[in-house]
Structures are given as structure tokens and as C-alpha cells.
Amino acid sequence: QVQLTESGGGLVQPGGSLNLSCTVSKVAFDYWSLGWFRQVPGKGREGVACVSSVDDSKWYGEDVKGRFTISRDVGNRTVTLHMNNLQSDDTALYYCATVLLFQVTGCTGNHWGQGTQVTVSS
């Protein structure tokens, strides 16, 4: 069974930092690569960052390169998104997901968590 549980969302001021965590069921963690996606009302889900389950390689969306960092904790079966220098445009509902396709050009989500809201505002 695939289960993903997100935590860490909240309100943060522009320029601030926030960490999002996702706890993943064992079957999902062992089998799938993982990623973070985000969505704002009226738009489709955008890939933020992904990490490979086989070699720990990473992909980042152009809008977050240099500001966000994704990491995996194998022992705790978690994937974390470290977000720095947050901007108003980063406000979105953030989803943790298993990754069906992991390519140089981006990632495609498969199974999804329920989402956690990140709001960047002064």
C-alpha cells in the first residue's frame, strides 16, 4: 500500500525558510523515486524537486533552483524539502508524491499525499 503524509506547511515571511517533510510507507519508499510538487488555484501541478531512489540524483524546477533542497532519509523513510529565501510566488499547496517518471527534463507524479499549505506573506 502506498501512503504519503506531509507536514511542515505554514505561514512564513518573504525571505524566510521552511522545511516540509513527507513520511512514506515502506513499499512506496523502496520502489518509487520521490518528489515535491505544488499547485495554485487555476493552474496545474508544477514539479518542484525530485530525488531518485536508486542513485540519489536530484532535479529542481527552474523557479526554485538555488533556493530549495530535497533530501531523503532512508532510515526514517522520509523526504524533506528545505525551502530558503521564500517569495510570495512560492505560495501554493505543496504535495509529496511518488515519481512515475524521473527524467533530466523533469518528473511525473504517481501517488499523491493530501497536500500541505505554504503561505508566504508579510
Side-chain angles (χ1 to χ4, degrees):
Q1 185 176 354
V2 177
Q3 292 182 336
L4 306 99
T5 305
E6 301 115 325
S7 64
L11 175 66
V12 63
Q13 295 183 341
S17 300
L18 199 64
N19 294 329
L20 304 183
S21 295
C22 176
T23 300
V24 186
S25 60
K26 187 178 187 301
V27 171
F29 195 92
D30 291 344
Y31 188 80
W32 301 99
S33 295
L34 299 164
W36 285 94
F37 301 76
R38 65 187 182 185
Q39 185 173 25
V40 298
K43 296 184 178 181
R45 290 183 185 180
E46 172 192 11
V48 177
C50 303
V51 58
S52 172
S53 64
V54 295
D55 64 0
D56 204 45
S57 62
K58 300 174 177 67
W59 174 90
Y60 294 98
E62 291 296 325
D63 292 342
V64 306
K65 283 183 178 179
R67 299 190 297 120
F68 292 7
T69 303
I70 190 170
S71 62
R72 296 192 311 148
D73 186 327
V74 177
N76 292 322
R77 298 199 305 273
T78 60
V79 58
T80 301
L81 184 68
H82 304 277
M83 304 185 293
N84 299 311
N85 192 24
L86 285 161
Q87 308 296 313
S88 296
D89 288 345
D90 295 317
T91 295
L93 187 63
Y94 283 72
Y95 295 90
C96 178
T98 58
V99 170
L100 177 64
L101 296 174
F102 188 93
Q103 301 173 303
V104 175
T105 55
C107 306
T108 302
N110 186 8
H111 301 282
W112 304 88
Q114 65 179 354
T116 184
Q117 180 68 39
V118 173
T119 301
V120 184
S121 176
S122 60

